[in-house]
């Protein structure tokens, strides 16, 4: 028997009728079936876990939802909490579970390696790291053939930053405003999001250029981005031209002209901004930006922590959607389907710069991690996850775009493949963000009705939808219906409050 929606979710369905401008529904579709049966939970109670979290875990640990979900088991695109509630996971552990929770083949690869060798430092040789490095680099173009394995995206970006400075002989690093590249003391300077930055010195040599956001930025139009769904901003550019691209490039030129020396160390860019809210740049921007950086001796680094491994659908790597060739590629999250694994892949020439001193990452390239990473690549090929991301992701974007047409608070729908953002606004004309408490009320309702999504953007008003790449169109229909119902409920309540205030 399938787990049913919670009582709180069912209470949200009560009350039929219509209100002006809002299409009200009284029922929701059934949650898509799942043959997998979770094992009965026998661990500590929810209340006990909450107490231990308060007593024994750092108070800085971010927790989603007013009543946090205590997840117990996962299978593909599904998660179960300790109370037996099943959820459709549209956030994938922060864009990390690439091929599905506890994918059988990945799980088996980990078990096989655990029976052979759990760990040995890389001062010794072991087969999995060599086999995996060759397989991973076979997916990359050009001379990107040398791997440095780490355990997280922050570590990998930290290392890429060091290599860029060593190889270039320069110190200045450029990244975008609104970018997120990690939270280590070193990468905190790369990250240009004040909500993630402590009040301490962390930006030595870091410069942030204007974010080329064609929806919320100063410039942008209806044909700027590589997405099935464009902004509704007007555009007067001639065919083949993009004024927004040129204006944002001029801002980068201003940073290089006034804020750096004649040479720079490098430039970091996500193909699509993740934490920043699925922000996409104007088509052609990144290619010209890379050329500007290279003219000043800099290294171009593609941060593929969230966009890599086929998630964007049309290409295996996000940078390929911009028609650019980076000097380094940083990857994490989906590389190990949730297992701690990350990497920097670069050219032999740039890698040589690291030989100036000893360098070691104790757990980077761990035998189990490499076995898992290798299995993930095999599964992506066998399961066709890239093609699925293209087909199901495009369908998802077009279905969400209908919400933008239906509701005044849905300002923008954007993304590519299964890297999607839905931005909520108070006013479509001014693009004023929907206030945080209002966003959270909708977000909480979506969770209560059985769907987990992320939340991001500088104002916290963007729903981040980045599910495991095994998602189906049936799952999409259910997810969109839940999001629609939560928005409807918010609009109903807002109209009732406004009417009561008038009366």
């Amino acid at each position: 028997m399938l787990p049913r929606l919670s009582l709180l979710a069912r209470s949200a369905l009560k009350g039929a009728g219509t209100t002006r401008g809002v299409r009200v529904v009284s029922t929701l579709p059934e949650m898509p079936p799942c043959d997998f049966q979770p094992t009965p939970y026998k661990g500590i109670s929810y209340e006990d876990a909450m107490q231990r979290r308060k007593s024994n875990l750092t108070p800085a640990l971010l927790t989603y939802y007013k009543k946090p979900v205590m997840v117990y088991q996962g299978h593909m695109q599904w998660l179960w909490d300790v109370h037996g509630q099943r959820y459709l996971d549209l956030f994938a552990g922060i864009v990390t579970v690439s091929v599905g929770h506890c994918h059988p083949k990945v799980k088996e690869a980990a078990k096989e390696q655990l029976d052979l060798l759990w760990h040995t430092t890389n001062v010794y040789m072991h087969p999995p790291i060599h086999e995996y490095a060759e397989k991973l680099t076979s997916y990359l173009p050009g001379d990107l053939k040398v791997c440095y394995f780490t355990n997280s995206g922050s570590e990998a970006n930290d290392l890429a930053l060091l290599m860029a400075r060593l190889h270039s002989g320069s110190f200045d690093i450029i990244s975008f405003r609104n970018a997120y590249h990690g939270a280590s003391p070193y990468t905190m300077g790369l990250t240009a999001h004040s909500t993630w930055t402590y009040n301490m010195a962390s930006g030595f040599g870091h410069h942030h250029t204007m974010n080329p956001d064609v929806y919320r930025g100063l410039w942008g139009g209806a044909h700027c981005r590589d997405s099935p769904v464009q902004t509704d901003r007007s555009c007067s550019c001639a065919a083949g031209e993009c004024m927004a691209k040129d204006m944002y490039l001029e801002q980068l030129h201003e940073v290089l002209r006034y804020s750096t020396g004649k040479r720079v160390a490098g430039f970091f860019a996500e193909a699509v901004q993740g934490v920043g809210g699925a922000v996409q740049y104007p088509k052609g921007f990144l290619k010209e930006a890379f050329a500007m950086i290279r003219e000043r001796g800099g290294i171009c680094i593609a941060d593929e922590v969230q966009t890599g491994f086929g998630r964007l659908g049309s290409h295996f790597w996000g940078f390929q959607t911009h028609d650019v060739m980076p000097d380094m590629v940083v990857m994490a999250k989906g590389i190990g389907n949730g297992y701690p694994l990350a990497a920097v892949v670069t050219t032999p020439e740039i890698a040589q710069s690291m030989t100036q001193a000893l360098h070691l990452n104790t757990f980077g390239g761990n035998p189990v991690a490499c076995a898992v990473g290798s299995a993930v690549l095999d599964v992506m090929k066998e399961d066709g996850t890239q093609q699925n991301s293209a087909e199901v992701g495009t369908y998802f974007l077009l279905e969400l775009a209908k919400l933008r047409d239906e509701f005044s608070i849905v300002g923008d729908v954007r993304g590519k493949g299964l890297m999607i953002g839905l931005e909520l606004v108070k006013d479509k004309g001014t693009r004023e963000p929907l206030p945080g408490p209002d966003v959270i009320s909708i977000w909480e309702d979506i969770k209560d009705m059985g769907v987990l999504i992320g939340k991001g953007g500088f104002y916290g008003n963007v729903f981040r939808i980045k599910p495991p790449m095994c998602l189906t169109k049936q799952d999409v229909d259910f997810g969109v219906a839940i999001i629609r119902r939560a928005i409807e409920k918010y609009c109903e309540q807002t109209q009732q409050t406004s009417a009561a205030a008038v009366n």
Side-chain angles (χ1 to χ4, degrees):
M1 183 175 68
L2 295 175
R4 293 177 296 177
L5 293 176
S6 66
L7 291 176
L8 182 57
R10 292 187 174 277
S11 70
L13 308 182
K14 294 180 180 179
T18 60
T19 55
R20 187 181 61 187
V22 178
R23 181 173 61 84
V24 180
V25 294
S26 58
T27 60
L28 288 173
E30 289 292 326
M31 183 177 282
C34 175
D35 294 334
F36 181 82
Q37 291 295 323
T39 57
Y41 177 68
K42 299 178 181 179
I44 63 173
S45 70
Y46 181 91
E47 292 72 23
D48 191 9
M50 287 294 292
Q51 183 56 49
R52 295 186 193 190
R53 192 177 183 91
K54 292 177 182 178
S55 302
N56 303 120
L57 295 176
T58 170
L61 188 63
L62 178 67
T63 306
Y64 265 10
Y65 305 116
K66 294 175 183 177
K67 185 176 181 180
V69 178
M70 187 168 164
V71 176
Y72 163 56
Q73 195 165 1
H75 175 73
M76 303 307 283
Q77 65 269 47
W78 303 104
L79 287 172
W80 285 263
D81 69 14
V82 296
H83 306 296
Q85 173 72 44
R86 177 160 63 102
Y87 297 91
L88 177 61
D89 182 10
L90 297 183
F91 198 34
I94 314 183
V95 207
T96 299
V97 179
S98 50
V99 298
H101 291 283
C102 300
H103 191 288
K105 181 161 185 174
V106 179
K107 184 168 59 175
E108 187 60 34
K111 287 180 178 179
E112 288 182 7
Q113 186 57 47
L114 282 168
D115 285 339
L116 295 172
L117 181 68
W118 289 21
H119 172 73
T120 180
T121 70
N122 290 319
V123 297
Y124 305 114
M125 295 174 65
H126 61 82
I129 192 172
H130 303 88
E131 295 165 356
Y132 180 48
E134 182 181 41
K135 183 183 290 187
L136 179 62
T137 55
S138 73
Y139 283 80
L140 286 155
D143 210 19
L144 293 166
K145 297 299 180 188
V146 181
C147 301
Y148 286 79
F149 291 113
T150 67
N151 308 288
S152 72
S154 291
E155 276 186 282
N157 273 321
D158 207 289
L159 180 60
L161 180 56
L162 173 63
M163 278 197 282
R165 284 172 167 166
L166 286 172
H167 182 74
S168 66
S170 301
F171 195 71
D172 288 323
I173 292 284
I174 315 293
S175 60
F176 289 124
R177 297 173 193 166
N178 200 53
Y180 183 90
H181 297 289
S184 69
Y186 213 23
T187 58
M188 204 174 286
L190 280 174
T191 293
H193 238 264
S194 61
T195 50
W196 294 88
T197 304
Y198 290 101
N199 187 27
M200 57 177 286
S202 61
F204 296 119
H206 294 279
H207 308 277
H208 303 124
T209 188
M210 183 181 286
N211 193 38
D213 182 347
V214 300
Y215 173 69
R216 185 164 289 285
L218 292 179
W219 307 285
H223 308 290
C224 285
R225 62 193 183 199
D226 178 20
S227 173
V229 184
Q230 298 292 332
T231 77
D232 56 8
R233 295 176 74 171
S234 61
C235 182
S236 57
C237 294
E241 297 180 1
C242 183
M243 181 197 71
K245 177 199 70 173
D246 296 336
M247 298 300 285
Y248 289 119
L249 284 168
E250 179 57 28
Q251 292 298 310
L252 174 57
H253 190 206
E254 290 284 286
V255 172
L256 294 170
R257 182 186 294 130
Y258 292 108
S259 301
T260 72
K262 293 182 179 179
R263 294 178 61 84
V264 298
F267 174 59
F268 280 74
E270 303 163 86
V272 177
Q273 289 182 337
V275 172
V279 173
Q280 294 179 278
Y281 322 128
K283 287 178 283 189
F285 173 88
L286 210 56
K287 191 168 188 175
E288 294 189 39
F290 273 25
M292 290 171 66
I293 295 299
R294 285 178 172 139
E295 286 174 1
R296 290 159 178 79
I299 301 300
C300 296
I301 301 104
D303 184 334
E304 296 280 346
V305 169
Q306 297 191 29
T307 53
F309 298 93
R311 178 164 289 277
L312 300 190
S314 61
H315 298 78
F316 197 79
W317 302 107
F319 67 79
Q320 293 171 319
T321 68
H322 294 275
D323 190 27
V324 296
M325 181 66 182
D327 303 298
M328 277 189 248
V329 180
V330 177
M331 54 195 78
K333 293 186 180 288
I335 189 175
N337 199 47
Y339 197 92
L341 175 63
V344 180
V345 182
T346 189
T347 67
E349 181 186 4
I350 294 173
Q352 189 65 27
S353 63
M354 288 292 292
T355 63
Q356 298 175 35
L358 294 176
H359 180 267
L360 175 69
N361 186 307
T362 302
F363 293 102
N366 170 277
V368 180
C370 289
V372 167
S374 184
V376 168
L377 289 175
D378 291 342
V379 167
M380 286 178 174
K381 186 174 182 179
E382 293 166 10
D383 291 3
T385 55
Q386 180 180 331
Q387 182 64 25
N388 193 62
S389 292
E391 294 176 1
V392 176
T394 298
Y395 178 71
F396 209 154
L397 279 158
L398 294 174
E399 289 298 302
L400 288 174
K402 295 175 183 178
L403 303 185
R404 187 182 66 178
D405 298 335
E406 291 178 34
F407 298 102
S408 61
I409 66 167
V410 180
D412 195 33
V413 171
R414 54 183 176 260
K416 187 175 173 68
L418 288 173
M419 184 88 177
I420 298 171
L422 184 151
E423 182 156 356
L424 300 175
V425 296
K426 188 174 182 180
D427 183 280
K428 281 191 176 182
T430 65
R431 298 187 290 279
E432 179 184 351
L434 194 68
D438 297 47
V439 175
I440 289 173
S441 70
I442 298 169
W443 185 56
E444 291 274 358
D445 274 348
I446 292 169
K447 180 264 291 183
D448 289 339
M449 290 187 281
V451 175
L452 303 179
I453 59 175
K455 187 168 64 68
F458 180 78
Y459 301 101
N461 67 322
V462 180
F463 287 156
R464 298 176 62 199
I465 300 170
K466 287 97 177 182
M469 293 185 284
C470 54
L471 198 75
T472 69
K473 288 185 178 180
Q474 187 179 14
D475 300 330
V476 171
D477 290 338
F478 176 72
V480 172
I482 295 297
I483 294 170
R484 174 182 279 113
R485 178 55 190 142
I487 293 174
E488 284 175 342
K489 182 181 176 184
Y490 167 82
C491 292
E492 292 167 22
Q493 293 172 339
T494 301
Q495 289 185 353
Q496 290 169 4
T497 300
S498 297
V502 171
N503 294 331

